[in-house]
Amino acid sequence: MTGLVALAVVGALVGIVVGLMRRPKSSRWLPDRVLPIPDLGLAESDLAELSAVGHRVEQEFGVAPVQVLLHRVGNVVRRSVPLSAIRPGPARGLARMCFADGTTLQVRGRQVGDLGQLAVTAITHKVRVCDYHAEDSRVVLDLEWGRGRASVLAVGIDQAD
């Protein structure tokens, strides 16, 4: 339990650091309801150290524990649940993969365009997870439809919209 709390604290700090590093130069409102991030007065060396710690934690533990992801994906595969939609994710490069049973995963494409291809394909075909396995701190999902195949990296569990 203590490890999870520590992981949450480090994750929050990394989020703040990344937000500060991507902070706009002006303090005016940005499109898409993005608010300017307040300056916390951290030194550049502290920002770099927090980023390095966050990266090490992500490499060691991943965004979500691999076993939890494997269990959830295993249920989707066993029941042969089709993909219902691909929606924008909470961060750049992430997408929400929504299944017909309400399971929603955060995923990254392995190659540029994978997520866009899946989003379009899910509209016209029944896309299913045909295989999955752990790879480092992520779960690889192999998807198939008709004559097509794609592979994405599941990095976390999300809530259905």
Side-chain angles (χ1 to χ4, degrees), residues 1 8 33-34 38 72 82 84 88 90 92 95 97 123 132 138 154:
M1 182 67 180
R33 298 176 290 158
V34 175
R72 187 68 59 95
S84 59
R92 186 176 183 170
M97 183 176 279
I123 295 170
Y132 64 100
R138 294 182 175 91

Side-chain angles (χ1 to χ4, degrees), residues 103-143:
T103 300
T104 304
L105 303 174
Q106 288 184 14
V107 297
R108 283 186 207 282
R110 295 197 100 175
Q111 297 178 6
V112 174
D114 282 350
L115 297 176
Q117 177 189 13
L118 279 173
V120 171
T121 303
I123 295 170
T124 59
H125 294 83
K126 284 196 176 194
V127 178
R128 297 186 193 279
V129 179
C130 62
D131 194 19
Y132 64 100
H133 63 276
E135 184 178 282
D136 298 325
S137 62
R138 294 182 175 91
V139 174
V140 178
L141 305 178
D142 295 321
L143 300 125

Side-chain angles (χ1 to χ4, degrees), residues 14-24 37-42 47:
V14 169
I16 291 170
V17 169
V18 169
L20 286 174
M21 295 175 84
R22 292 184 179 173
R23 187 171 64 125
I37 297 172
D39 184 14
L40 298 177
L42 296 173
L47 291 174

